Amino acid sequence: MHHTTGGDAEHAPLLDLLEQSAFAYFQHEVNEVNGLVRDNTDPAAPASIAGSGFALSSYPVAVERGHMPREEAVHRTRTALRFLWKAEQSDAPDATGAHGFFYHFLDMQSGRRVWHSELSTIDSAIALAGVLTSGAYFDRDTEAEQDIRSLADRIYRRVEWDWALNGGPAISLGWRPERAFIPCRWLGYSEALLLYVLGLGSPTHPLPEDSFSRFTSTYRWKAIYGREHVYAGPLFIHQLSHVWLDLRDIRDAFMQSRGIDYFENSRRATYVQQEYGRRNPRGFEGYSDSWWGVTASDGPGFMIGRVHGRRCRFYGYHARGAPFGCDDGTVSPWAVAASMPFAPEIVIPSLITVDASYPGPKRTYGYMCSVNFSFHATAGDSGWVSPRDYAINQGPVGLMVENYRSGLIWQLLRGCPYIVRGLRRAGFSGGWLDG
């Protein structure tokens, strides 16, 4: 495997720095004994299973870009997959998972469930996407790489996707041994696009074919600022499935009926977010066509404050969205970077402006979670900056920048039979899928 530097050579230093600093998170915030990755940079934080999936997806990029020797990536990947395969799967309240899924948050050392967290279907899907990426990339005929492929296959095939329906039409958000299934289901356009494709592709416990059309039947098609698209407020929703799925030029029945594909949909959503920053209808400080990116993110905290004399409700970690979602003046430069493949012509200039105008949003791992110039803890301060970095922010940055440059993750998973089967059973056709 080799990569070509796509995008543009002019901005190669920026793209290199984005990837290298995002990857550094997974290099350092990890327990090397079990491969689990810390949810955020708070030393007391547990592991998040999604963070571990992003790490598994990032190791191939690190090898290709020269940030990590292949041998080290093999060792880390094999360690993580061995843990995921052997960790307790049962209905016990302190297991690592059940029915092939994993708990959202795990103890960094023991790998057992913490915080009464849910058996998370979407966070498990992110972990499994990383597992399949590992199996696709490590293709050499060595004992270690054969082991990686075998483990990846077994971990994926073990998942009981049909169980997660709980007898209903759509996948439940999760399950807890104390209270059984969460009543909310994955309906309405969301990052669950990835979840359904993974579940439909299973050769062992697949979702029924009609589960995907039930999911898409709840989409909201909107025209915003002159751009028609399937709406979702938080910017990350338009990015997450695209980290692994190459949705360019392939369409399901819904997108066929609208004459676009999901990639174009995300491109339009990215432009809508930039336009929202430019218009700044709520008058927040700092918003512009260079400062934008409203998404699920950390925030100043749950409290009432004032912005230019108006009452404003601020939030802590929250699913912010634009233009109709909850917005308290918090923007996330990392979310702009993660839209790189869709609209580099607006993303790159925005990041250059962010870098030049305000060095605060960058530190060890690149762009931090979020900033809010409208929130002032003390008179005269320059605004709030998130004190933590998060695995689920750093992952999409490095992986989407690499997809923009070389399409590496897309190419790997285009060759995965489970992904191909999942897309076909979801009704996708055209482009590379028919090639």
Side-chain angles (χ1 to χ4, degrees), residues 60 180 189 218 264 273 335 363 373 375:
Y189 180 59
T218 53
E264 172 62 23
Q273 282 255 353
R363 48 183 174 214
F373 297 126
F375 181 87

Side-chain angles (χ1 to χ4, degrees), residues 187-190 214-224 227-234 237-238 254-255 258 260 262 265 269 319-326:
L187 291 167
Y189 180 59
S190 68
R214 286 173 177 169
F215 171 62
T216 60
S217 71
T218 53
Y219 283 5
R220 292 181 296 162
W221 183 260
K222 292 183 179 290
I224 306 168
R227 296 179 189 272
E228 293 189 5
H229 66 297
V230 181
Y231 176 74
I237 286 176
H238 297 284
F254 183 93
M255 285 298 176
R258 302 293 177 170
I260 65 170
Y262 284 99
N265 196 80
R320 295 167 172 80
F324 308 124
C326 139

Side-chain angles (χ1 to χ4, degrees), residues 330-342:
T330 303
V331 292
S332 301
W334 71 265
V336 177
S339 279
M340 184 81 69
F342 308 125

Side-chain angles (χ1 to χ4, degrees), residues 168-292:
I171 300 173
S172 166
L173 267 65
W175 177 88
R176 289 186 178 89
E178 298 84 4
R179 296 200 294 277
F181 281 97
I182 296 171
C184 297
R185 295 178 183 272
W186 286 109
L187 291 167
Y189 180 59
S190 68
E191 66 274 27
L193 178 62
L194 172 70
L195 175 63
Y196 279 97
V197 169
L198 286 169
L200 285 160
S202 170
T204 50
H205 304 278
L207 294 173
E209 221 157 280
D210 64 354
S211 62
F212 192 75
S213 56
R214 286 173 177 169
F215 171 62
T216 60
S217 71
T218 53
Y219 283 5
R220 292 181 296 162
W221 183 260
K222 292 183 179 290
I224 306 168
Y225 307 147
R227 296 179 189 272
E228 293 189 5
H229 66 297
V230 181
Y231 176 74
L235 187 51
F236 87 94
I237 286 176
H238 297 284
Q239 300 163 342
L240 196 79
S241 297
H242 297 261
V243 171
W244 296 277
L245 303 178
D246 184 357
L247 298 169
R248 296 172 297 177
D249 303 321
I250 66 171
R251 298 173 183 177
D252 61 5
F254 183 93
M255 285 298 176
Q256 195 77 43
S257 72
R258 302 293 177 170
I260 65 170
D261 58 34
Y262 284 99
F263 188 88
E264 172 62 23
N265 196 80
S266 292
R267 177 179 167 79
R268 294 178 186 186
T270 304
Y271 267 91
V272 164
Q273 282 255 353
Q274 186 203 33
E275 180 64 14
Y276 176 80
R278 189 185 72 77
R279 295 187 183 204
N280 191 13
R282 300 179 198 190
F284 289 119
E285 289 177 38
Y287 280 30
S288 71
D289 58 4
S290 297
W291 270 96
W292 48 280

